[in-house]
Amino acid sequence: MEGQTEGRIVHYQINSSCRAAVIVRSHEPGNANLHVFRDGSNDASLVDPMTHTVLEESGWVTSRQEGAEPGNWHDPRACPFRGGS
């Protein structure tokens, strides 16, 4: 569970872009609850790839896996979309 600690900033992947997120609760290795930071009104219709619904304004997502696929989180240094989206 290296680096998977509450308060750590990670990236949450949404299709072909990422948003900053904070691990709120760490579960078994690679699984965590996150608070995803939306880009204000620019993300008003941002669809969560795991639930296929608009990402809640609170940015709360639960039981997400570490990985590079949409709907998962990863280390910002491993982000395939560096430089913004």
Side-chain angles (χ1 to χ4, degrees), residues 6-80:
E6 286 85 357
R8 179 177 179 215
I9 296 174
V10 296
H11 278 186
Y12 182 67
Q13 187 163 332
I14 300 175
N15 300 322
S16 61
S17 65
C18 293
R19 296 295 181 269
V22 172
I23 295 176
V24 177
R25 173 87 187 225
S26 181
H27 298 295
E28 64 269 3
N31 187 297
N33 293 349
L34 308 170
H35 175 88
V36 180
F37 292 94
R38 297 179 353 148
D39 186 18
S41 61
N42 292 328
D43 284 347
S45 60
L46 195 63
V47 174
D48 185 331
M50 295 300 283
T51 62
H52 305 287
T53 59
V54 174
L55 185 65
E56 293 182 31
E57 191 171 331
S58 68
W60 181 252
V61 295
T62 59
S63 299
R64 301 308 165 94
Q65 297 294 317
E66 182 174 13
E69 301 80 27
N72 294 325
W73 60 272
H74 56 267
D75 187 300
R77 296 169 291 189
C79 185

Side-chain angles (χ1 to χ4, degrees), residues 11 76 79-85:
H11 278 186
C79 185
F81 309 108
R82 282 190 185 193
S85 51

